């Protein structure tokens, strides 16, 4: 495959989303999304429930194909990759799912170590050590032999996070990392995302409707509304914007241009 | 959303028939693609043998009690009814032949398969269906693991291997049931029963049953996986998939029974 493209010149490790559209029957979820994700930054995509945030992440991972437009990772179009290229791409990504999506037939250790055991030839003691290390990063210990069903929601999220970073990915996608957690646990997760960016220089995309979390973790915030990115800016630019839709969203008001129902 | 009540106008009936036809064609196409993917990923079922072994345990070993129970009664009822059907024109010393052939060729393979379809087919559909609706299948893909290699191939191989094994087991238990009831209630002593079984036994009797079991085993796991992967919409969808898997597998088992029989005996 030709890996050269104008986008890969000079700016490595980045994701470009160009004019992406996705519909399910007559439900037009994404109607032309344009967004560039810079290397080493955390980009937060804000949007209401059901506006297509999870769909966008699935499109980036190649779990779905866009109807229109393209998603370039390091200049390569995800939708036109074959199975082998897709597998190579996915090994550079980690993904935290909205509901954690831990494999419930496996223990915590097996969940976190699955990628290492399947894709590397590391000896078993080494795998165990790395698993313990990643679990420690997310503030967990001595849970290796538990099944996910025995864990609380916050612990599941943290195990999911440990699994997402187990293979030392270049990119991590977070699907609502703080939703459903108590405020203190939410802040623990926020701190984790920040420290991952700082210590491992991971490029991240987090989708959320949690403004507090967005302000805290984001280098840049993009707002997804009615199938398009209507605003991109730093947290400060978001706080001070007079864009009516963005203002209504960050103020959490039912009055304004966004219909409440 | 309130659903309009179905009224039997010609348009509605055509729409209904058309939709069913489309679903049927979709199933045929989907199954064909799945079977292709399974064959491409078969080598992995052996390189990840621990997964296959685990499924063999679930499908095979854990089904033994149920298969044993069904088989012993099948053998007994076959003997009782054979006596009723043949007693006026065939000597009782041929009872073993009649019962034995019915069991080996038809009853043990088919009833074992139907029991396993209910137990294991539904289980596979529910397990994979739950993985689908809780995004575990997507998670597997994002970890660059192929769900067909990782989940389907081991179940396929396990079904292929364990159904013949269970069928042999069922053969033995059902024959024991037949011998037992003949000796205790039908005045045909065990050595008479077994002698007539031996005299007219052909290898084909056993082999035809085992060939059927082979086919039934693949049907059960393929349909279970297929319905699991197609699951949509939470717990309700998982229940629906499990039911569909059992119905579809049972129907296909009976059709395949006829097809294999016509090939082998036709
Ligand atoms: N696989 C799918 N099939 C049909 N519709 C879907 C599918 N995935 C998502 N949708 C629809 O797309 C819309 C956006 O969903 P999603 O991306 O999950 O929203 P959110 O922004 O809350 O993550 C919803 O209306 C949802 O019903
Ligand atoms: Mg979502």
């Amino acid at each position: 495959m030709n890996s050269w493209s104008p986008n890969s010149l000079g700016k490595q490790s980045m994701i470009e989303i160009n004019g992406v559209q996705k519909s399910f029957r007559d439900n037009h979820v994404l109607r032309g999304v344009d967004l560039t994700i810079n290397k080493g930054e955390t980009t937060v995509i804000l949007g209401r429930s059901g506006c297509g945030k999870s769909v966008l992440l699935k499109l980036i991972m190649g779990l779905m194909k866009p109807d229109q437009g393209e998603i370039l990772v390091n200049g390569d179009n995800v939708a036109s990759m074959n199975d082998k290229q897709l597998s190579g791409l996915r090994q550079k990504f980690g993904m935290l799912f909205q509901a954690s999506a831990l494999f419930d037939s496996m223990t915590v250790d097996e969940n976190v170590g699955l990628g290492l055991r399947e894709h590397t030839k590391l000896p078993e003691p080494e795998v165990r050590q790395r698993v313990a290390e990643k679990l420690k990063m997310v503030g967990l210990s001595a849970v290796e032999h538990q099944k996910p069903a025995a864990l609380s929601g916050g612990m599941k999220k943290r195990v999911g996070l440990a699994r997402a970073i187990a293979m030392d990915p270049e990119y991590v996608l977070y699907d609502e990392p703080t939703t459903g957690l108590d405020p203190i646990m939410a802040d623990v997760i926020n701190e984790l995302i920040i420290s991952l960016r700082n210590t491992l220089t991971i490029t991240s995309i987090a989708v959320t409707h949690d403004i507090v979390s967005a302000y805290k973790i984001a280098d840049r915030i993009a707002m997804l509304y009615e199938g398009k990115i209507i605003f991109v800016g730093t947290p400060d630019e978001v706080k001070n914007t007079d864009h009516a839709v963005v203002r209504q969203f960050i103020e959490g008001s039912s009055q304004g241009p966004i219909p409440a129902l | 959303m309130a659903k309009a009540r179905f009224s039997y106008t010609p348009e509605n009936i055509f729409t209904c028939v058309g939709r069913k036809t489309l679903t049927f064609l979709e199933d045929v196409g989907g199954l064909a693609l799945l079977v292709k993917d399974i064959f491409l990923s078969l080598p992995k079922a052996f390189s990840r043998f621990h997964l296959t072994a685990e499924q063999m345990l679930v499908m095979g070993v854990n089904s033994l009690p149920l298969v044993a129970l069904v088989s012993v009664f099948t053998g007994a009822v076959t003997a009782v009814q054979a006596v009723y059907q043949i007693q006026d024109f065939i000597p009782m010393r041929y009872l073993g032949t009649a019962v034995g052939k019915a069991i080996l060729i038809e009853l043990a393979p088919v009833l074992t398969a139907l029991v396993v379809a209910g137990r294991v087919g539904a289980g596979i559909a529910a397990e994979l269906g739950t993985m689908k609706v809780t995004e575990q299948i997507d998670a597997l893909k994002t970890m660059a693991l192929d769900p067909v290699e990782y989940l389907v191939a081991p179940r396929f191989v396990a079904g292929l291997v364990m159904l013949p094994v269970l069928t042999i087991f069922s053969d033995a238990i059902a024959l024991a049931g037949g011998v037992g009831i003949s000796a205790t209630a039908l005045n045909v002593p065990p050595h008479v029963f077994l002698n007539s079984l031996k005299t007219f036994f052909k290898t084909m009797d056993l082999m035809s049953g085992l060939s059927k079991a082979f086919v039934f085993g693949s049907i059960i796991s393929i349909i279970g996986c297929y319905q699991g992967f197609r699951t949509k919409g939470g717990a309700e969808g998982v229940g629906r998939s499990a039911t569909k898997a059992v119905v579809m597998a049972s129907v296909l088992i009976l059709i395949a029974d006829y097809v294999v029989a016509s090939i082998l005996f036709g």
Side-chain angles (χ1 to χ4, degrees), chain A residues 54 58 61 63 86-88 90-91 93-95 97-106 111-115 118-119 163 175, chain B residues 26 37 44 48 50-51 54 127 130-147 149-151 155 232:
Chain A
S54 299
K58 285 179 187 169
M61 291 299 290
L63 296 170
L86 208 49
S87 161
R90 285 170 178 169
Q91 289 188 45
F93 275 83
M95 180 155 177
F97 282 81
Q98 194 167 343
S100 301
L102 299 179
F103 305 118
D104 45 29
S105 63
M106 300 182 192
N111 264 283
V112 179
L114 184 63
E118 291 290 338
H119 295 302
R163 185 177 71 179
D175 195 343
Chain B
E26 202 182 303
D37 287 346
K44 294 282 171 134
R48 292 200 188 97
H50 64 284
L51 293 175
E54 200 179 305
E127 187 182 358
T130 304
M131 291 186 75
K132 173 82 192 302
V133 300
T134 57
E135 297 187 312
Q136 293 177 53
I137 305 262
D138 278 343
L140 211 51
K141 288 187 191 163
T142 62
M143 299 175 82
L145 293 168
D146 178 359
E149 275 176 18
Y150 206 79
L151 299 170
R155 285 168 174 79
K232 285 201 183 85

Side-chain angles (χ1 to χ4, degrees), chain A residues 24 27 29 48-55 64 98 175-176:
Chain A
F24 300 99
N27 179 8
V29 180
R48 293 186 74 186
S49 280
C51 75
K53 303 184 298 292
S54 299
V55 168
M64 296 175 178
Q98 194 167 343
D175 195 343
E176 306 205 6

Side-chain angles (χ1 to χ4, degrees), chain A:
Chain A
M1 192 175 169
N2 182 3
S3 64
W4 185 88
S5 89
N7 298 319
S8 62
L9 273 183
K11 302 189 225 164
Q12 281 167 347
S13 292
M14 55 168 238
I15 302 171
E16 277 215 24
I17 303 167
N18 295 327
V20 164
Q21 299 187 20
K22 181 74 188 172
S23 304
F24 300 99
R25 290 172 186 270
D26 44 12
N27 179 8
H28 304 295
V29 180
L30 302 180
R31 307 178 186 185
V33 173
D34 297 296
L35 185 64
T36 303
I37 311 294
N38 298 327
K39 180 180 172 155
E41 283 189 0
T42 299
T43 304
V44 169
I45 301 174
L46 280 178
R48 293 186 74 186
S49 280
C51 75
K53 303 184 298 292
S54 299
V55 168
L56 188 58
L57 292 187
K58 285 179 187 169
L59 289 167
I60 295 172
M61 291 299 290
L63 296 170
M64 296 175 178
K65 282 198 192 321
D67 302 333
Q68 286 280 319
E70 53 178 18
I71 293 171
L72 305 173
V73 177
N74 281 330
D76 296 331
N77 188 351
V78 177
S80 60
M81 288 183 181
N82 62 29
D83 287 352
K84 204 164 164 228
Q85 291 165 324
L86 208 49
S87 161
L89 176 89
R90 285 170 178 169
Q91 289 188 45
K92 293 189 208 149
F93 275 83
M95 180 155 177
L96 172 62
F97 282 81
Q98 194 167 343
S100 301
L102 299 179
F103 305 118
D104 45 29
S105 63
M106 300 182 192
T107 63
V108 167
D109 170 82
E110 288 165 338
N111 264 283
V112 179
L114 184 63
L116 292 169
R117 292 193 173 98
E118 291 290 338
H119 295 302
T120 70
K121 295 200 163 56
L122 289 178
E124 185 56 28
E126 177 92 350
V127 172
R128 279 175 197 275
Q129 193 213 317
R130 287 215 195 178
V131 169
E133 195 178 289
K134 294 297 193 248
L135 285 172
K136 190 155 165 270
M137 283 180 80
V138 299
L140 291 172
S141 59
V143 292
E144 278 93 336
H145 301 295
Q146 310 241 26
K147 289 277 179 81
L151 305 177
S152 72
M155 285 166 98
K156 279 187 201 163
K157 274 243 149 98
R158 286 189 282 166
V159 174
L161 195 50
R163 185 177 71 179
I165 58 174
M167 298 278 287
D168 297 323
E170 289 173 40
Y171 308 93
V172 182
L173 308 184
Y174 303 94
D175 195 343
E176 306 205 6
T178 55
T179 305
L181 301 181
D182 67 73
I184 294 160
M185 186 51 65
D187 200 55
V188 171
I189 299 275
N190 287 338
E191 292 290 348
L192 265 169
I193 293 173
I194 294 169
S195 83
L196 284 175
R197 180 198 55 195
N198 294 343
T199 57
L200 305 176
T201 58
I202 289 174
T203 305
S204 319
I205 305 176
V207 305
T208 187
H209 50 65
D210 177 351
I211 313 286
V212 179
S213 164
Y215 285 154
K216 184 149 189 183
I217 64 177
D219 295 302
R220 281 193 326 146
I221 295 176
M223 169 121 189
L224 181 61
Y225 178 67
E226 292 189 329
K228 293 189 174 167
I229 299 290
I230 56 157
F231 184 93
V232 184
T234 63
D236 280 333
E237 284 167 347
V238 171
K239 280 175 202 163
N240 300 319
T241 184
D242 45 17
H243 192 298
V245 173
V246 179
R247 279 238 73 82
Q248 186 190 344
F249 192 89
I250 60 179
E251 282 161 8
S253 164
S254 61
Q255 309 298 315
I258 310 177
L261 297 174

